[in-house]
Amino acid sequence: MPTTSTVLADLGPGAQLRAGRLPRRLSQLLAGLVLYGVSMAMMIRGALGLDPWDVFHYGLTGHLPLSFGAVVTIVSLVVLLAWIPLRQAPGVGTIANVLVIGVTSDVILSVLTRPSELWLRALLLVLGIVLNGLASAMYIGAQLGPGPRDGLMTGISRRSGLSIRLVRTVQELAVVGVGFALGGTVGLGTLLYALSIGPLVQRFLPRLVVRLVPPARLSDPALPTGSTPGSTSG
């Protein structure tokens, strides 16, 4: 598995497909998205707190006659609509994110039950967070477009001139607050996720960024040299 800098190529949807190593990148993208859905289900069954966006998703499930995965998919589509005024164009990875993660999480939730023992729930939570970091690095490293929520974050940053850090913080505080008000699960896992997901992605990403052929223009203004994006539900 090639090791590269964590600087990601700034490519439009068409250029992403012409940047080489497409079979490898598509397979890594799909594997990463499937594992992301698995990690979401693991954290839900741990029942010790969810990541910020999943607090919101889970809160909505208590008010809509829809499964968790269906809510994730619908919210992804709504977030994509917000890309229009930001003049963002979705890539293959963006569309795959919408289609794969929600379905996968529902499949895993249908076969994974909540353990009664606290230590097993804690284990599910920790393994789910680590898997989430790995899965995020896999689909980000495929360089086929950001997930809807990451694209919203970077789009707002570009258009407003505000830092990624500020936009990300405000965005996630907002979804946690609304999700908690709707009945979403906030707990120790929410804090653990917030503290660990950045370092986890930073750890995994250098080994998972696929080197593009031919070399692409690098310089995404939202991702300074040596930085890595944090992960949301894509």
Side-chain angles (χ1 to χ4, degrees), residues 162-179:
L162 299 173
S163 70
I164 286 286
R165 181 179 301 174
L166 176 60
V167 174
R168 171 72 181 267
T169 300
V170 171
Q171 178 176 289
E172 297 204 347
L173 285 175
V175 294
V176 165
V178 174

Side-chain angles (χ1 to χ4, degrees), residues 52-79:
W53 274 98
D54 284 347
V55 172
F56 177 63
H57 298 144
Y58 201 75
L60 283 176
T61 62
H63 302 270
L64 298 171
L66 297 170
S67 68
F68 175 81
V71 169
V72 171
T73 301
I74 290 170
V75 170
S76 297
L77 292 170
V78 172
V79 170

Side-chain angles (χ1 to χ4, degrees), residues 97-182:
N97 187 296
V98 174
L99 299 176
V100 173
I101 289 180
V103 172
T104 302
S105 63
D106 269 354
V107 170
I108 302 303
L109 286 170
S110 71
V111 298
L112 182 64
T113 58
R114 172 180 166 176
S116 56
E117 297 88 349
L118 180 59
W119 73 270
L120 285 175
R121 290 165 52 202
L123 182 62
L124 266 182
L125 170 68
V126 172
L127 292 178
I129 291 174
V130 173
L131 183 60
N132 190 277
L134 174 63
S136 299
M138 289 177 70
Y139 84 72
I140 292 169
Q143 304 205 67
L144 284 165
R149 297 154 188 80
D150 283 333
L152 178 65
M153 173 184 64
T154 57
I156 291 174
S157 177
R158 288 193 185 100
R159 298 292 291 176
S160 67
L162 299 173
S163 70
I164 286 286
R165 181 179 301 174
L166 176 60
V167 174
R168 171 72 181 267
T169 300
V170 171
Q171 178 176 289
E172 297 204 347
L173 285 175
V175 294
V176 165
V178 174
F180 181 70
L182 292 172

